[in-house]
Amino acid sequence: MSKIPFNKPFIAGKELYYIAQAVALGNIGGDGHFTRCCAALMEQRFGVGKILMTPSCTSALEMAGILCGLGPGDEVILPSYTFVSTASAICRVGAKPVFVDIRPDTLNLDERLVESAITPATKAIFPVHYAGVSAEMDTLLQLAARHDLWVVEDAAQGVNASYGKQSLGSLGHFGTFSFHETKNYMCGEGGALAINDPQFIQRAEIIRDKGTNRSQFFRGEVDKYTWVDIGSSYVPSEIACAFLYGQLEMMDEIADRRRQIYARYSFLLEDLQQAGILQRPHIPSGCQSNYHMFYILLEDGPTRDALLDHLRSRDIHAVFHYIPLHLSPVGRTFGYNDGDLPVTERVSRCLLRLPFYHELTREAQEMIVTEIRSFLLGRRNNRLAA
Ligand SMILES: *Cc1c(COP(=O)(O)O)cnc(C)c1O
């Protein structure tokens, strides 16, 4: 049996050609032709006023934190069940992460628990669109408006997904995207900041370019460029953007394939959900997923761990995530303990992500599910007999 990896970066076709073109154009630094192409394509497709390409989603989150004016003494509400960057970007600007539990269906920030976490120090909410399925944005945006909070969407996994008619990343004050090689559209490492409130555009351009007004200089708006604010090196290489443009151009084809893979897993696993053996992902009506991943929730941690080992023994590389951030070494320094966020902690023990990549074949999916089925039914029968 040949090995089934967890992820396999997909080359859509023109990536290397565009890199060669970038080299031929003579500008492989920042903000060249392909950087502008990527930003324009996403501004148009996602209905975002301004997209700034960045080296990663993490750097876009850091920029959002700076632009929101977050600092020491400020609190930011976010899920604990997320990748480290959502929280590390908040700490990077000196603010304090306040972790709230997730909904058991979408595994997104539980909007019903947010209001009670708001204090006079709360300045922002950073919802995450887990697996490319939107958090409950109407409720979160209403809460934010009522309490005068910034909303930064961590849409790292939500590129080309939507909530109602609006693209993820276009709903909050800011949205952040990732083009890491594990994401739907990728260039190895890459990201973008979506700015939905025009008052921030000018300062964002400055922070992104080492605190200089170079963007205004290139547009001819000022006659020299100089140091005007804090900032960092948040401009990606034109080479990465050239590669990414080859992927973004094929967005619909890539999305179609992911939808097929997701639908097949969902279909093949339906009876196991009906038998109460596992839970498949849930997409609320009104949310359009980008099918970033397919996961299953098992009945307990030992079952998840045993299934993971079983699949590995068959050379099928399923993976789990996340270690809850509130229980990480840094998270605990904020005073969190085991049991504080029960849904997060259960999901962390029970979730398994299945192999998911463009070239995953129907036969491979059938084989993966056959292994899952025989293992889980066997385990259940053994328990019943005991
Ligand atoms: C991947 C991911 C990130 C980090 O993205 P990078 O581009 O690697 O910085 C942040 N948040 C979430 C939810 C992610 O899945």
Side-chain angles (χ1 to χ4, degrees):
M1 201 164 10
S2 64
K3 176 175 159 169
I4 302 178
F6 171 67
N7 181 47
K8 196 170 147 194
F10 173 63
I11 302 300
K14 283 195 173 165
E15 290 89 339
L16 298 179
Y17 168 68
Y18 286 151
I19 288 177
Q21 245 186 287
V23 172
L25 284 169
N27 172 19
I28 53 171
D31 285 327
H33 172 73
F34 288 102
T35 307
R36 287 193 295 275
C37 287
C38 288
L41 184 151
M42 289 191 281
E43 283 165 3
Q44 200 230 326
R45 290 216 33 160
F46 303 154
V48 170
K50 185 74 179 173
I51 294 269
L52 294 179
M53 302 307 295
T54 61
S56 65
C57 182
T58 306
S59 48
L61 285 162
E62 290 182 11
M63 284 183 67
I66 297 170
L67 289 162
C68 292
L70 301 177
D74 295 337
E75 294 179 359
V76 178
I77 290 169
L78 76 161
S80 166
Y81 191 71
T82 178
F83 187 66
V84 182
S85 305
T86 327
S88 71
I90 292 163
C91 295
R92 182 75 181 73
V93 290
K96 179 184 161 193
V98 173
F99 297 110
V100 167
D101 215 347
I102 51 173
R103 286 169 50 144
D105 58 354
T106 59
L107 317 188
N108 279 322
L109 188 62
D110 191 333
E111 67 282 357
R112 295 161 303 186
L113 304 176
V114 169
E115 190 144 36
S116 59
I118 296 174
T119 74
T122 309
K123 290 286 153 50
I125 307 175
F126 279 34
V128 175
H129 302 303
Y130 180 68
V133 174
S134 180
E136 181 33 44
M137 291 305 289
D138 278 347
T139 309
L140 292 172
L141 290 169
Q142 280 162 20
L143 271 173
R146 198 165 345 119
H147 294 271
D148 205 13
L149 308 175
W150 303 114
V151 176
V152 177
E153 300 173 68
D154 181 340
Q157 301 176 16
V159 180
N160 196 27
S162 55
Y163 176 77
K165 288 193 164 55
Q166 284 175 282
S167 294
L168 303 192
S170 74
L171 293 121
H173 298 93
F174 300 98
T176 63
F177 297 142
S178 175
F179 307 112
H180 183 259
E181 77 164 356
T182 53
K183 302 300 202 284
N184 292 23
Y185 313 103
M186 61 86 190
C187 56
E189 299 275 359
L193 176 67
I195 303 174
N196 301 312
D197 183 339
Q199 64 164 311
F200 291 108
I201 296 174
Q202 186 174 327
R203 186 162 188 235
E205 288 178 337
I206 290 167
I207 288 165
R208 176 170 170 267
D209 215 345
K210 298 99 186 166
T212 73
N213 57 357
R214 180 153 60 178
S215 298
Q216 287 169 284
F217 173 71
F218 281 140
R219 283 196 297 265
E221 294 165 15
V222 292
D223 57 13
K224 57 181 179 306
Y225 94 82
T226 183
W227 183 22
V228 295
D229 199 344
I230 59 163
S232 190
S233 184
Y234 291 138
V235 178
S237 158
E238 178 71 358
I239 294 184
C241 291
F243 188 103
L244 181 63
Y245 192 60
Q247 300 246 316
L248 294 180
E249 260 190 348
M250 298 288 281
M251 195 177 270
D252 293 330
E253 290 78 0
I254 294 173
D256 268 356
R257 181 78 192 110
R258 296 191 83 95
R259 179 163 355 95
Q260 282 168 11
I261 294 170
Y262 183 100
R264 179 155 302 278
Y265 269 139
S266 191
F267 170 73
L268 292 170
L269 289 162
E270 188 174 2
D271 61 322
L272 290 180
Q273 170 153 328
Q274 268 155 12
I277 289 178
L278 54 76
Q279 184 189 324
R280 294 169 302 170
H282 172 70
I283 304 175
S285 67
C287 294
Q288 180 61 55
S289 178
N290 62 6
Y291 307 102
H292 173 59
M293 69 171 90
F294 195 95
Y295 62 81
I296 52 177
L297 284 163
L298 287 312
E299 65 182 324
D300 54 28
T303 303
R304 191 277 306 272
D305 294 344
L307 176 58
L308 181 67
D309 288 345
H310 173 76
L311 293 174
R312 291 272 166 111
S313 76
R314 296 290 192 273
D315 247 345
I316 295 168
H317 286 244
V319 301
F320 71 89
H321 70 181
Y322 299 104
I323 306 295
L325 293 181
H326 70 287
L327 299 179
S328 66
V330 176
R332 285 181 192 270
T333 66
F334 295 103
Y336 291 96
N337 278 304
D338 299 75
D340 285 348
L341 303 177
V343 181
T344 298
E345 292 168 39
R346 176 179 64 79
V347 167
S348 172
R349 284 191 300 271
C350 300
L351 181 138
L352 191 65
R353 297 175 65 185
L354 304 185
F356 202 119
Y357 51 89
H358 196 97
E359 288 157 60
L360 185 65
T361 63
R362 177 189 179 127
E363 293 71 31
Q365 283 191 279
E366 281 166 358
M367 192 185 75
I368 293 164
V369 172
T370 300
E371 290 295 340
I372 293 172
R373 172 174 287 106
S374 66
F375 181 81
L376 291 177
L377 291 178
R379 189 173 164 95
R380 167 127 132 186
N381 290 340
N382 287 342
R383 277 198 189 171
L384 292 176

